[in-house]
CSV table of all heavy atoms in Angstrom, one decimal:
chain,number,residue,atom,x,y,z
A,1,GLU,N,0.8,-1.2,0.0
A,1,GLU,CA,0.0,0.0,0.0
A,1,GLU,C,0.9,1.2,0.0
A,1,GLU,O,1.8,1.3,0.7
A,1,GLU,CB,-0.9,0.0,1.2
A,1,GLU,CG,-1.8,1.2,1.4
A,1,GLU,CD,-2.7,1.3,2.6
A,1,GLU,OE1,-2.0,1.0,3.7
A,1,GLU,OE2,-3.9,1.4,2.5
A,2,ALA,N,0.5,2.2,-0.8
A,2,ALA,CA,1.2,3.5,-0.8
A,2,ALA,C,0.1,4.6,-0.6
A,2,ALA,O,-1.0,4.6,-1.2
A,2,ALA,CB,2.0,3.8,-2.1
A,3,VAL,N,0.5,5.6,0.3
A,3,VAL,CA,-0.4,6.7,0.5
A,3,VAL,C,0.5,7.9,0.3
A,3,VAL,O,1.6,8.0,1.0
A,3,VAL,CB,-1.1,6.7,1.8
A,3,VAL,CG1,-2.0,7.9,2.1
A,3,VAL,CG2,-1.9,5.3,2.0
A,4,VAL,N,0.0,8.9,-0.5
A,4,VAL,CA,0.9,10.1,-0.8
A,4,VAL,C,0.0,11.3,-0.5
A,4,VAL,O,-1.1,11.4,-0.6
A,4,VAL,CB,1.2,10.1,-2.3
A,4,VAL,CG1,1.8,11.5,-2.7
A,4,VAL,CG2,2.1,9.0,-2.7
A,5,ASP,N,0.8,12.3,0.1
A,5,ASP,CA,0.3,13.7,0.3
A,5,ASP,C,1.3,14.6,-0.2
A,5,ASP,O,2.4,14.7,0.3
A,5,ASP,CB,0.0,13.9,1.8
A,5,ASP,CG,-0.5,15.3,2.1
A,5,ASP,OD1,-0.8,16.1,1.2
A,5,ASP,OD2,-0.6,15.6,3.3
A,6,LEU,N,0.9,15.4,-1.2
A,6,LEU,CA,1.9,16.4,-1.8
A,6,LEU,C,1.9,17.7,-0.8
A,6,LEU,O,1.5,18.8,-1.3
A,6,LEU,CB,1.4,16.8,-3.2
A,6,LEU,CG,1.3,15.7,-4.2
A,6,LEU,CD1,0.8,16.2,-5.5
A,6,LEU,CD2,2.6,14.8,-4.4
A,7,SER,N,2.2,17.4,0.3
A,7,SER,CA,2.0,18.3,1.5
A,7,SER,C,3.0,19.4,1.6
A,7,SER,O,2.9,20.4,2.2
A,7,SER,CB,2.1,17.6,2.8
A,7,SER,OG,3.3,16.9,2.9
A,8,GLY,N,4.2,19.3,0.9
A,8,GLY,CA,5.3,20.2,1.2
A,8,GLY,C,6.1,19.8,2.4
A,8,GLY,O,7.0,20.5,2.8
A,9,ARG,N,5.6,18.8,3.2
A,9,ARG,CA,6.3,18.3,4.4
A,9,ARG,C,6.9,16.9,4.1
A,9,ARG,O,6.1,16.0,4.0
A,9,ARG,CB,5.4,18.3,5.5
A,9,ARG,CG,4.8,19.6,5.9
A,9,ARG,CD,3.9,19.6,7.2
A,9,ARG,NE,2.9,18.7,7.0
A,9,ARG,CZ,1.7,19.1,6.3
A,9,ARG,NH1,1.6,20.2,5.9
A,9,ARG,NH2,0.7,18.1,6.3
A,10,PRO,N,8.2,16.8,3.9
A,10,PRO,CA,8.8,15.6,3.5
A,10,PRO,C,8.8,14.5,4.7
A,10,PRO,O,9.3,14.9,5.7
A,10,PRO,CB,10.2,15.9,3.0
A,10,PRO,CG,10.5,17.1,3.8
A,10,PRO,CD,9.2,17.9,3.9
A,11,PHE,N,8.4,13.3,4.3
A,11,PHE,CA,8.3,12.3,5.3
A,11,PHE,C,8.2,11.0,4.7
A,11,PHE,O,7.3,10.8,3.7
A,11,PHE,CB,7.2,12.5,6.4
A,11,PHE,CG,7.2,11.5,7.5
A,11,PHE,CD1,8.0,11.7,8.6
A,11,PHE,CD2,6.5,10.4,7.6
A,11,PHE,CE1,8.1,10.9,9.7
A,11,PHE,CE2,6.5,9.6,8.6
A,11,PHE,CZ,7.3,9.7,9.6
A,12,LEU,N,8.8,10.0,5.2
A,12,LEU,CA,8.7,8.6,4.7
A,12,LEU,C,8.3,7.7,5.9
A,12,LEU,O,9.1,7.6,6.8
A,12,LEU,CB,9.9,8.0,4.0
A,12,LEU,CG,9.8,6.4,3.7
A,12,LEU,CD1,8.8,6.3,2.5
A,12,LEU,CD2,11.2,5.9,3.2
A,13,ALA,N,7.2,7.0,5.9
A,13,ALA,CA,6.9,6.0,6.8
A,13,ALA,C,7.1,4.6,6.0
A,13,ALA,O,6.2,4.4,5.1
A,13,ALA,CB,5.5,6.1,7.4
A,14,TRP,N,8.0,3.8,6.4
A,14,TRP,CA,8.4,2.6,5.6
A,14,TRP,C,8.1,1.3,6.5
A,14,TRP,O,8.7,1.3,7.7
A,14,TRP,CB,9.8,2.7,5.2
A,14,TRP,CG,10.4,1.5,4.6
A,14,TRP,CD1,11.2,0.5,5.3
A,14,TRP,CD2,10.2,0.9,3.3
A,14,TRP,NE1,11.5,-0.5,4.4
A,14,TRP,CE2,11.0,-0.3,3.1
A,14,TRP,CE3,9.6,1.4,2.1
A,14,TRP,CZ2,11.1,-1.0,2.0
A,14,TRP,CZ3,9.6,0.6,1.0
A,14,TRP,CH2,10.4,-0.6,0.9
A,15,ASP,N,7.4,0.4,6.0
A,15,ASP,CA,7.2,-0.8,6.7
A,15,ASP,C,7.2,-2.0,5.8
A,15,ASP,O,6.1,-2.4,5.3
A,15,ASP,CB,5.9,-0.8,7.6
A,15,ASP,CG,5.7,-2.0,8.4
A,15,ASP,OD1,6.6,-2.8,8.6
A,15,ASP,OD2,4.6,-2.1,9.0
A,16,ALA,N,8.3,-2.4,5.4
A,16,ALA,CA,8.4,-3.6,4.5
A,16,ALA,C,9.8,-4.3,4.9
A,16,ALA,O,10.7,-3.6,5.3
A,16,ALA,CB,8.5,-3.1,3.0
A,17,THR,N,9.9,-5.6,4.7
A,17,THR,CA,11.0,-6.3,4.9
A,17,THR,C,11.4,-7.3,3.8
A,17,THR,O,10.5,-7.8,3.1
A,17,THR,CB,10.9,-7.2,6.2
A,17,THR,OG1,9.7,-8.0,6.0
A,17,THR,CG2,10.6,-6.3,7.4
A,18,PHE,N,12.7,-7.4,3.6
A,18,PHE,CA,13.3,-8.3,2.6
A,18,PHE,C,14.1,-9.4,3.4
A,18,PHE,O,14.8,-9.0,4.2
A,18,PHE,CB,14.0,-7.6,1.6
A,18,PHE,CG,13.2,-6.6,0.8
A,18,PHE,CD1,13.4,-5.2,1.1
A,18,PHE,CD2,12.5,-6.9,-0.2
A,18,PHE,CE1,12.7,-4.3,0.4
A,18,PHE,CE2,11.8,-6.0,-1.0
A,18,PHE,CZ,11.9,-4.6,-0.6
A,19,ASP,N,13.9,-10.6,2.9
A,19,ASP,CA,14.7,-11.7,3.6
A,19,ASP,C,16.0,-12.1,2.9
A,19,ASP,O,16.6,-13.2,3.2
A,19,ASP,CB,13.8,-12.9,3.9
A,19,ASP,CG,13.3,-13.6,2.7
A,19,ASP,OD1,13.7,-13.3,1.6
A,19,ASP,OD2,12.5,-14.6,2.9
A,20,ARG,N,16.3,-11.3,1.9
A,20,ARG,CA,17.6,-11.5,1.2
A,20,ARG,C,18.2,-10.2,0.9
A,20,ARG,O,17.6,-9.2,0.8
A,20,ARG,CB,17.5,-12.5,0.0
A,20,ARG,CG,16.9,-12.0,-1.2
A,20,ARG,CD,16.9,-13.0,-2.3
A,20,ARG,NE,16.8,-12.5,-3.6
A,20,ARG,CZ,15.7,-12.6,-4.4
A,20,ARG,NH1,14.6,-13.2,-3.9
A,20,ARG,NH2,15.7,-12.1,-5.6
A,21,ASP,N,19.5,-10.2,0.6
A,21,ASP,CA,20.3,-9.0,0.5
A,21,ASP,C,20.2,-8.4,-0.9
A,21,ASP,O,20.4,-7.2,-1.0
A,21,ASP,CB,21.8,-9.3,0.8
A,21,ASP,CG,22.1,-9.7,2.2
A,21,ASP,OD1,21.2,-9.3,3.1
A,21,ASP,OD2,23.1,-10.4,2.5
A,22,ARG,N,19.9,-9.1,-1.9
A,22,ARG,CA,20.0,-8.5,-3.3
A,22,ARG,C,18.8,-9.1,-4.1
A,22,ARG,O,18.3,-10.2,-3.9
A,22,ARG,CB,21.2,-8.9,-3.9
A,22,ARG,CG,22.5,-8.3,-3.3
A,22,ARG,CD,23.8,-8.7,-4.0
A,22,ARG,NE,24.0,-8.2,-5.2
A,22,ARG,CZ,24.6,-6.9,-5.4
A,22,ARG,NH1,24.9,-6.2,-4.3
A,22,ARG,NH2,24.9,-6.6,-6.6
A,23,ILE,N,18.3,-8.2,-5.0
A,23,ILE,CA,17.4,-8.6,-6.1
A,23,ILE,C,18.2,-8.4,-7.4
A,23,ILE,O,18.4,-7.1,-7.7
A,23,ILE,CB,16.1,-7.9,-6.1
A,23,ILE,CG1,15.5,-8.0,-4.7
A,23,ILE,CG2,15.1,-8.5,-7.1
A,23,ILE,CD1,14.3,-7.1,-4.5
A,24,GLY,N,18.7,-9.3,-8.1
A,24,GLY,CA,19.6,-9.0,-9.2
A,24,GLY,C,20.8,-8.4,-8.7
A,24,GLY,O,21.5,-8.8,-7.8
A,25,GLU,N,21.0,-7.1,-9.2
A,25,GLU,CA,22.2,-6.3,-8.9
A,25,GLU,C,21.8,-5.2,-7.9
A,25,GLU,O,22.6,-4.3,-7.6
A,25,GLU,CB,22.9,-5.7,-10.1
A,25,GLU,CG,23.5,-6.8,-11.1
A,25,GLU,CD,24.5,-7.6,-10.3
A,25,GLU,OE1,25.3,-7.1,-9.7
A,25,GLU,OE2,24.4,-8.8,-10.4
A,26,LEU,N,20.6,-5.2,-7.4
A,26,LEU,CA,20.2,-4.2,-6.5
A,26,LEU,C,20.2,-4.7,-5.0
A,26,LEU,O,19.5,-5.7,-4.7
A,26,LEU,CB,18.7,-3.7,-6.8
A,26,LEU,CG,18.1,-2.6,-5.9
A,26,LEU,CD1,18.8,-1.3,-6.1
A,26,LEU,CD2,16.6,-2.4,-6.2
A,27,ASP,N,20.9,-3.9,-4.1
A,27,ASP,CA,20.8,-4.2,-2.8
A,27,ASP,C,19.4,-3.9,-2.2
A,27,ASP,O,19.0,-2.8,-2.4
A,27,ASP,CB,21.9,-3.5,-2.0
A,27,ASP,CG,23.3,-3.8,-2.3
A,27,ASP,OD1,23.5,-4.9,-2.7
A,27,ASP,OD2,24.2,-3.0,-2.1
A,28,THR,N,18.8,-4.8,-1.5
A,28,THR,CA,17.4,-4.6,-1.1
A,28,THR,C,17.3,-3.5,-0.1
A,28,THR,O,16.3,-2.8,-0.1
A,28,THR,CB,16.8,-5.9,-0.4
A,28,THR,OG1,17.7,-6.4,0.5
A,28,THR,CG2,16.6,-7.0,-1.5
A,29,GLU,N,18.3,-3.2,0.6
A,29,GLU,CA,18.2,-2.0,1.6
A,29,GLU,C,18.1,-0.8,0.8
A,29,GLU,O,17.6,0.2,1.3
A,29,GLU,CB,19.4,-2.0,2.5
A,29,GLU,CG,20.7,-1.7,1.9
A,29,GLU,CD,21.9,-1.7,2.9
A,29,GLU,OE1,21.6,-2.1,4.0
A,29,GLU,OE2,23.0,-1.3,2.5
A,30,LEU,N,18.4,-0.7,-0.5
A,30,LEU,CA,18.4,0.5,-1.2
A,30,LEU,C,17.0,0.8,-1.7
A,30,LEU,O,16.7,2.0,-2.2
A,30,LEU,CB,19.4,0.4,-2.4
A,30,LEU,CG,20.8,0.4,-2.1
A,30,LEU,CD1,21.7,0.3,-3.3
A,30,LEU,CD2,21.2,1.5,-1.1
A,31,VAL,N,16.1,-0.1,-1.7
A,31,VAL,CA,14.7,0.1,-2.0
A,31,VAL,C,14.1,1.2,-1.1
A,31,VAL,O,13.6,2.2,-1.5
A,31,VAL,CB,13.8,-1.1,-2.0
A,31,VAL,CG1,12.3,-0.8,-2.3
A,31,VAL,CG2,14.3,-2.1,-3.0
A,32,GLU,N,14.3,1.1,0.2
A,32,GLU,CA,13.9,2.1,1.2
A,32,GLU,C,14.6,3.4,0.9
A,32,GLU,O,14.0,4.5,1.0
A,32,GLU,CB,14.1,1.6,2.6
A,32,GLU,CG,13.7,2.6,3.7
A,32,GLU,CD,14.0,2.1,5.1
A,32,GLU,OE1,14.4,0.9,5.3
A,32,GLU,OE2,13.7,2.9,6.0
A,33,GLU,N,15.9,3.3,0.6
A,33,GLU,CA,16.7,4.6,0.4
A,33,GLU,C,16.1,5.3,-0.8
A,33,GLU,O,16.1,6.6,-0.7
A,33,GLU,CB,18.1,4.2,0.2
A,33,GLU,CG,18.8,3.7,1.4
A,33,GLU,CD,18.7,4.6,2.6
A,33,GLU,OE1,18.9,5.8,2.5
A,33,GLU,OE2,18.5,4.1,3.8
A,34,PHE,N,15.8,4.7,-1.8
A,34,PHE,CA,15.2,5.3,-3.0
A,34,PHE,C,13.9,6.1,-2.5
A,34,PHE,O,13.7,7.3,-2.8
A,34,PHE,CB,14.8,4.4,-4.1
A,34,PHE,CG,14.0,5.1,-5.2
A,34,PHE,CD1,14.6,5.9,-6.1
A,34,PHE,CD2,12.6,5.0,-5.2
A,34,PHE,CE1,13.8,6.5,-7.1
A,34,PHE,CE2,11.8,5.6,-6.2
A,34,PHE,CZ,12.5,6.4,-7.1
A,35,PHE,N,13.0,5.4,-1.9
A,35,PHE,CA,11.7,6.0,-1.5
A,35,PHE,C,12.0,7.2,-0.5
A,35,PHE,O,11.3,8.2,-0.7
A,35,PHE,CB,10.8,5.0,-0.9
A,35,PHE,CG,10.2,4.0,-1.8
A,35,PHE,CD1,10.4,2.7,-1.6
A,35,PHE,CD2,9.6,4.4,-3.0
A,35,PHE,CE1,9.8,1.7,-2.5
A,35,PHE,CE2,9.1,3.5,-3.9
A,35,PHE,CZ,9.2,2.1,-3.6
A,36,ARG,N,13.0,7.1,0.4
A,36,ARG,CA,13.3,8.2,1.3
A,36,ARG,C,13.8,9.4,0.5
A,36,ARG,O,13.3,10.5,0.8
A,36,ARG,CB,14.2,7.7,2.3
A,36,ARG,CG,14.6,8.9,3.3
A,36,ARG,CD,15.4,8.4,4.5
A,36,ARG,NE,14.6,7.6,5.4
A,36,ARG,CZ,14.7,6.3,5.6
A,36,ARG,NH1,15.6,5.6,4.9
A,36,ARG,NH2,13.9,5.7,6.4
A,37,ALA,N,14.7,9.1,-0.3
A,37,ALA,CA,15.3,10.3,-1.2
A,37,ALA,C,14.2,10.9,-2.0
A,37,ALA,O,14.2,12.2,-2.1
A,37,ALA,CB,16.4,9.8,-2.0
């Protein structure tokens, strides 16, 4: 589920887990980093 507010107030609430370190050549911890950035 994704919920977006174009509020002008930056915030990420993230609640997802991956049980392995990589998907292809992407480190799974970077998925959260993308959304935060």
